[in-house]
Amino acid sequence: MAIGVALAAANLRPAVTSLASVLGDVRASLGVSTAWTSLLTAVPTLCFGVAAFLAPWLGRRLGMARAVGLSLAVLTLGLVLRVVNGPSTVLGGTFIACAGIAVCNVLIPVVVKDSFPTRVGLVTGVYTAALAAGAALGAALTPGLESLLGSWRLAAGAWATLSLAALLIWLAGARHGREVRATAAPAAVGRSLLRNPLAWVITVFFGLQSLLAYTVMGWLPQILVDAAGVDRATAGLLLAVTMVLGVPVSLVVPPLAARRPGQSGLVAVLGALSVLGVLGLAVAPAAAPALWVVLIGVGMGMFPLALVMISLRTSSGADTARLSAMAQSIGYLISAAGPFAFGVLRGATGTWTTSMLVLVGLLVLLTALGWVAGRPRTL
């Protein structure tokens, strides 16, 4: 089960980072506007929010193994469809691919909670490390694949082979694994998390850390090219660095968080690193772009911390499923505004500085909410 979780996780970000690393070429090839490009960067989080509402129902209806397998099949289909035609098809295929990702986003934390109740921190670390590694590979390898294959379409579409391989391995492994279903506990009936203040704090915290992550994944290469003066291949590699840093951070932060009654201190450290990285990129982008990227990459350890807190702030698998669905559906809808507004603000002002200073303010709010969410208690 742990191997299956890691393989599925490795496919949950290349759909985003592969296209981001060749975004300039995509825009030039399709002849689209800045607004369209901003919409494309917002599609993943928008889709994650909308499709995440269906994930608990699919888990109950099909069982976790079949639901995750179906989501990997949908992801593969979307990755193929989005490279076969024009701007509308690119948007539609990206939405379909991200719908598959959304289901895995919600259901895998439930699989971890139910299958590894005494190793939640460790397995969450493995899951998020594999996710970060997949994101890094998508960013680092796609520009090279474009040069090798002669087309951004072939380079981006090649990632469908990875998701297809993961689907086949998942289906083979699921035949021998213990079936886990998202069931509703009797005590949970009639108790809405929408009226729970802690659930809302965790939801907004999750949304803001996602806003940071997808703004970085969608726009960092272009920022580095425009503001720091680096070439596009180097910009793609620096985006990969932020993703690669997620591997060791993911292996350290969740187990460390799980061993502590509270996680507020970890939130403060990661928040400070994120603020310093984005602020440096805003005021002195060319001075030390690699340093700013490293600070941002380590600060994005907020994501595995947010995932493990969903498990730590709940007392049962049923509550974990409900909180995971709420945090990821509403949270991703909150974060969808980030990449879009970030790009639109850049178009309106003619500079990245204003956009990044607004992002710094949101990071301060993120850190404050994470401090509250990290206090030791359950729903």
Side-chain angles (χ1 to χ4, degrees):
M1 182 66 78
I3 293 171
V5 164
L7 289 172
N11 283 276
L12 302 187
R13 293 300 178 268
V16 179
T17 59
S18 61
L19 215 56
S21 64
V22 293
L23 193 58
D25 294 335
V26 173
R27 181 179 174 184
S29 170
L30 298 177
V32 292
S33 65
T34 302
W36 183 93
T37 309
S38 299
L39 179 59
L40 179 65
T41 63
V43 162
T45 50
L46 180 64
C47 182
F48 291 168
V50 173
F53 284 107
L54 297 175
W57 177 83
L58 281 174
R60 291 191 299 269
R61 185 82 174 180
L62 302 178
M64 292 296 171
R66 292 189 184 91
V68 172
L70 176 62
S71 71
L72 289 172
V74 171
L75 168 60
T76 304
L77 176 64
L79 289 174
V80 172
L81 287 178
R82 74 175 181 173
V83 298
V84 299
N85 211 324
S88 298
T89 305
V90 173
L91 286 175
T94 300
F95 193 93
I96 291 170
C98 291
I101 295 171
V103 175
C104 283
N105 281 342
V106 173
L107 296 186
I108 288 180
V110 185
V111 173
V112 172
K113 174 79 171 182
D114 284 343
S115 300
F116 309 95
T118 62
R119 295 182 175 87
V120 169
L122 175 62
V123 180
T124 299
V126 171
Y127 159 58
T128 53
L131 189 149
L137 289 173
L141 299 183
T142 305
L145 284 173
E146 183 185 21
S147 299
L148 179 66
L149 300 175
S151 166
W152 68 263
R153 294 181 186 274
L154 292 175
W159 293 100
T161 59
L162 180 64
S163 62
L164 178 61
L167 169 62
L168 296 177
I169 294 171
W170 177 271
L171 292 177
R175 295 174 56 194
H176 306 288
R178 181 175 66 88
E179 182 61 82
V180 180
R181 288 184 179 268
T183 56
V189 176
R191 179 163 56 88
S192 174
L193 292 185
L194 296 176
R195 294 192 294 270
N196 188 297
L198 177 57
W200 275 108
V201 168
I202 292 173
T203 295
V204 180
F205 171 64
F206 188 92
L208 290 178
Q209 67 81 25
S210 297
L211 184 150
L212 167 67
Y214 284 93
T215 299
V216 169
M217 282 190 279
W219 288 111
L220 182 61
Q222 199 64 45
I223 293 170
L224 291 169
V225 170
D226 294 345
V230 305
D231 62 84
R232 191 165 300 281
T234 302
L237 287 175
L238 288 174
L239 174 60
V241 167
T242 66
M243 304 296 107
V244 167
L245 286 170
V247 176
V249 171
S250 294
L251 291 174
V252 171
V253 169
L256 188 61
R259 287 198 296 267
R260 295 168 175 260
Q263 295 76 40
S264 298
L266 286 171
V267 170
V269 171
L270 295 173
L273 293 174
S274 297
V275 168
L276 288 174
V278 175
L279 196 58
L281 203 55
V283 301
L291 175 60
W292 311 141
V293 163
V294 167
L295 291 173
I296 292 170
V298 176
M300 284 170 63
M302 286 285 196
F303 173 67
L305 183 57
L307 282 182
V308 79
M309 280 204 287
I310 289 175
S311 293
L312 296 176
R313 297 286 88 87
T314 54
S315 56
S316 69
D319 277 347
T320 303
R322 294 164 65 229
L323 181 58
S324 180
M326 176 179 172
Q328 298 201 48
S329 57
I330 299 175
Y332 278 127
L333 289 176
I334 292 171
S335 69
F340 180 76
F342 195 84
V344 169
L345 191 57
R346 160 66 174 85
T349 62
T351 176
W352 292 108
T353 304
T354 304
S355 297
M356 286 187 283
L357 290 177
V358 171
L359 188 59
V360 168
L362 292 174
L363 283 170
V364 173
L365 176 59
L366 163 67
T367 305
L369 289 170
W371 182 274
V372 175
R375 295 173 182 168
R377 62 201 188 281
T378 57
L379 298 176

